[in-house]
Amino acid sequence: MAKIRKVPIGLDDFEKLRRENFYYIDKSGFIKALVNNWGEVNLFTRPRRFGKTLNMSMLRSFFEIGSDKRLFDGLEISQDPALCEQYQGKFPILFISLKSVAGDDYTMAYDMLGEVVREEALRFQWLLDSDKLTRFDKVPLEKMLEHVFEKQVDMHRSLKVLSGLLHKHYGKKVIILIDEYDVPLEKAYQKGYYDQMVTLIRAMFEMALKSNQNLYFAVVTGCLRISKESIFTGLNNFSIHSIDDTIYDEYFGFTDQEARQLLEDYSMSGKYTEVRDWYDGYRFGQEHVYCPWDVLNYVKDHTADPDMTPAAYWVNSSSNAIVKGLLCQATATVKDQIGTLIAGGTIDIPLVQELTYQDLDTTDELQRMKYLWSVLYITGYLTDTGEREGRNHRLMIPNKEIQEIFALQIENWFSESRFMGLRVI
C-alpha cells in the first residue's frame, strides 16, 4: 500500500509542499489561465483560507529565474511544453505578503511594512555585486537592506526601485506578486490610522503598478475588493477577478471532484456526504467549491480519530472584527433575515462590490446594512445561489459549518451588543 502523503495544514509554500511530498491538489492550470488572459495588473479577491497564498507561491516557483522546474513534474501545466518553454523560469519576481503588517499604530505598521520590503530585498542582496548596476543604482538597495527609509518617498518607491534593479540586471521585465494587500487596511481601520495607511499603500501601488516601465505584469490578492478611489486610483491597467467571475472560478478552493479524490486517497470516501454538507456550498462564478482549510483539517483529524464529529475550523482562522462590528449595529429587519438564513432560507439583497473601510462608518442605516450583507458575502459567511431577483443577489448560508457559526457565534455577538432575542431554529 502506498504511503499516505502528509496533510498540508497551513502550508502555503509551494516549493516546500512539493519537495516534502505533502498532498497537493493540482491548481497549476491557474498558470495557463493567467498567461492566456492576464491584464497588466490582476486583482483576485477571495475569502480567507481558499488558497490565495499557495497559488501566489506557485506562480513564483513557475515564473522565477533559477527556480526548480522539477517542482511541476506531473502537474497539469507540464502538459503544455510550449507554454513552459516560453514562460517557465524566465522572469525576475518580486513577491511580498502584507498579512503581517498589523501594527497597533501607524509607526509600528510603517516599520512592519519596511521589514517586509527589507526581507524581499535580502533575496537580491547579490545585486550589490552586479557589474550591470552603477554605484548610484546600489545606494537605495543598501538602504533597504539596512532598513533605512529616511523619507516616506523611500518606502513609496521601494518596489519600483527593486523592479528597476532586477530589470537592469537581467534585461527582463519583472513580475510583481502582492499577497493579502488589504490586511494592513483592515488593521488600520480597527486601530484608527486608516487615512495614513491608505496614503502609504496607494503611493506604493501607484509607483510599482502604474506606468512602471520595469513591470511585465502583477498579481494582487486580498479578501475585500477595495474601491479604486481608495487604493487603486488611476490604475487603468487593472483587471479585477472577484468571486462572481467565471474565468478563474475553479482555481481557489476545492471542486467537488477534487474533494472526492482527496477523501478517496485517504480512504474516507464514506465521509463524502458529511464533508459536502459541512464544507461545500460556496459558489465562485459557476463553480461550487469547498473551503480547503476545512477539508484538510477534517482529513487530518479523522485520520487520527475516524469517529470524530465535524468541527467549525474556518471561523477562528482569521479576524472577524469587521463582521462583528457591523452585526452589533444591525437592525430588527436584519435580525429577522438572519433567522431566515439559519432556518435554511434565502434573502434577496443588493450588494456593493467595491467599498472602502470608511464606508462602513456611514450613519445611513439602509446603506450600512447593505454593506453588512456585502461583507458577509465577500468574506465567505454567505454565498450566492446563482439565482437573481432583478439586480439583487439571492444569498444563503453555504453549509452546516457556517450555519453553526450563525446559530452560535453570531447570536453571541448580538447578545454582547444588547441586541437580544435572535431565535435559533
Side-chain angles (χ1 to χ4, degrees), residues 25 254-264 275 290 295:
I25 289 181
F254 294 165
T255 66
D256 186 72
Q257 181 179 354
E258 290 166 345
R260 281 179 182 270
Q261 186 63 54
L262 171 62
L263 293 174
E264 181 181 330
V275 170
Y290 296 67
V295 179

Side-chain angles (χ1 to χ4, degrees), residues 189-418:
Y189 172 73
Q190 295 171 14
K191 299 296 184 178
Y193 57 92
Y194 182 74
D195 288 343
Q196 290 171 290
M197 184 54 68
V198 165
T199 299
L200 175 59
I201 298 296
R202 180 196 294 137
M204 285 188 72
F205 281 16
E206 284 188 355
M207 287 198 169
L209 307 179
K210 178 184 178 182
S211 301
N212 181 0
Q213 298 302 312
N214 309 300
L215 179 67
Y216 184 58
F217 71 79
V219 179
V220 182
T221 71
C223 184
L224 295 185
R225 178 173 159 182
I226 306 300
S227 170
K228 289 180 69 173
E229 285 69 30
S230 173
I231 293 296
F232 304 114
T233 305
L235 288 180
N236 298 322
N237 55 347
F238 215 58
S239 297
I240 300 174
H241 306 287
S242 69
I243 56 179
D244 290 335
D245 298 331
T246 61
I247 189 171
Y248 299 99
D249 54 7
E250 73 268 39
Y251 298 121
F252 298 87
F254 294 165
T255 66
D256 186 72
Q257 181 179 354
E258 290 166 345
R260 281 179 182 270
Q261 186 63 54
L262 171 62
L263 293 174
E264 181 181 330
D265 290 341
Y266 284 87
S267 301
M268 294 184 188
S269 295
K271 299 287 188 179
Y272 167 74
T273 300
E274 185 171 71
V275 170
R276 181 197 63 199
D277 291 346
W278 270 81
Y279 308 121
D280 186 18
Y282 297 95
R283 184 184 179 90
F284 294 170
Q286 297 299 318
E287 191 73 55
H288 288 273
V289 298
Y290 296 67
C291 176
W293 176 254
D294 289 324
V295 179
L296 292 171
N297 273 283
Y298 179 97
V299 168
K300 181 176 184 294
D301 286 349
H302 282 74
T303 299
D305 181 3
D307 297 323
M308 182 178 176
T309 57
Y313 300 105
W314 176 79
V315 66
N316 293 318
S317 66
S318 59
S319 172
N320 303 298
I322 298 298
V323 171
K324 180 178 178 180
L326 287 167
L327 282 167
C328 287
Q329 304 176 62
T331 65
T333 299
V334 170
K335 170 186 171 182
D336 291 339
Q337 290 171 314
I338 287 178
T340 297
L341 291 168
I342 291 173
T346 62
I347 58 174
D348 296 323
I349 298 292
L351 298 179
V352 179
Q353 296 288 6
E354 287 191 356
L355 47 80
T356 71
Y357 282 100
Q358 287 179 321
D359 290 335
L360 307 182
D361 292 329
T362 179
T363 58
D364 185 312
E365 188 175 278
L366 291 176
Q367 194 69 13
R368 188 170 64 245
M369 291 307 98
K370 186 186 295 186
Y371 292 143
L372 165 64
W373 297 119
S374 300
V375 170
L376 287 172
Y377 171 61
I378 292 167
T379 56
Y381 285 87
L382 297 174
T383 195
D384 194 324
T385 67
E387 303 170 356
R388 295 292 172 89
E389 183 64 32
R391 294 186 177 182
N392 291 345
H393 289 245
R394 182 157 293 169
L395 303 180
M396 62 181 288
I397 293 174
N399 51 48
K400 286 186 176 180
E401 179 191 34
I402 306 301
Q403 187 175 39
E404 182 175 284
I405 292 169
F406 269 84
L408 299 177
Q409 184 158 353
I410 290 179
E411 181 184 24
N412 290 336
W413 292 345
F414 277 121
S415 299
E416 290 173 16
S417 65
R418 299 181 182 180

Side-chain angles (χ1 to χ4, degrees), residues 3-70:
K3 182 179 179 181
I4 297 177
R5 284 174 286 174
K6 295 172 285 187
V7 182
I9 303 297
L11 180 58
D12 52 22
D13 183 327
F14 178 82
E15 180 177 351
K16 181 176 181 180
L17 186 149
R18 295 288 287 167
R19 288 193 188 284
E20 300 299 325
N21 197 35
F22 283 88
Y23 192 93
Y24 177 62
I25 289 181
D26 186 358
K27 296 293 183 179
S28 65
F30 177 50
I31 298 168
K32 184 172 182 177
L34 183 64
V35 165
N36 289 338
N37 299 284
W38 62 273
E40 193 169 33
V41 181
N42 308 269
L43 172 64
F44 293 91
T45 59
R46 296 294 189 276
R48 307 286 182 221
R49 301 298 185 179
F50 274 81
K52 298 188 298 295
T53 301
L54 180 56
N55 276 347
M56 293 285 267
S57 178
M58 177 183 67
L59 294 180
R60 178 173 70 180
S61 292
F62 182 81
F63 288 109
E64 189 164 40
I65 292 171
S67 59
D68 186 352
K69 296 182 179 182
R70 294 172 298 178

